[in-house]
Amino acid sequence: MSAHCQLTGSKPGFGNSVSHSHRRTSRRFDPNIQRKRYWLPSEGRHVRLTLSARAVKTVDAIGIEAAVARIRARRGKV
């Protein structure tokens, strides 16, 4: 599963792990990605979205119809 949010567009960040001896190794900061299924009343079907935990809260606040409109405005597939 790709660590990419369909609504907010958040992707992994990259940086370094720093050990006690201060040696640096590459690491990856992944967003908290969840697969969530929503009922889309305007189309009469369910949609499965790959969202970050913050985007799930955004969908709860603005509604699924507005969230799908934002995803489609970003040229995302729903």
Side-chain angles (χ1 to χ4, degrees):
M1 181 166 71
S2 172
H4 178 261
C5 177
Q6 289 180 287
L7 182 60
T8 62
S10 63
K11 295 179 183 178
F14 296 89
N16 290 309
S17 290
V18 182
S19 70
H20 177 70
S21 65
H22 219 64
R23 290 175 66 98
R24 292 160 192 264
T25 55
S26 294
R27 64 158 294 178
R28 188 170 135 148
F29 296 90
D30 285 326
N32 185 2
I33 297 293
Q34 308 295 324
R35 298 235 332 151
K36 198 119 163 71
R37 188 170 169 245
Y38 290 100
W39 172 252
L40 195 57
S42 64
E43 297 181 16
R45 67 184 182 106
H46 285 96
V47 292
R48 189 175 299 275
L49 300 176
T50 305
L51 302 172
S52 62
R54 186 170 75 177
V56 171
K57 294 177 186 179
T58 302
V59 171
D60 291 343
I62 67 173
I64 186 62
E65 297 288 343
V68 167
R70 284 189 192 181
I71 292 170
R72 288 184 172 144
R74 297 180 75 239
R75 294 196 168 104
K77 184 181 174 189
V78 177

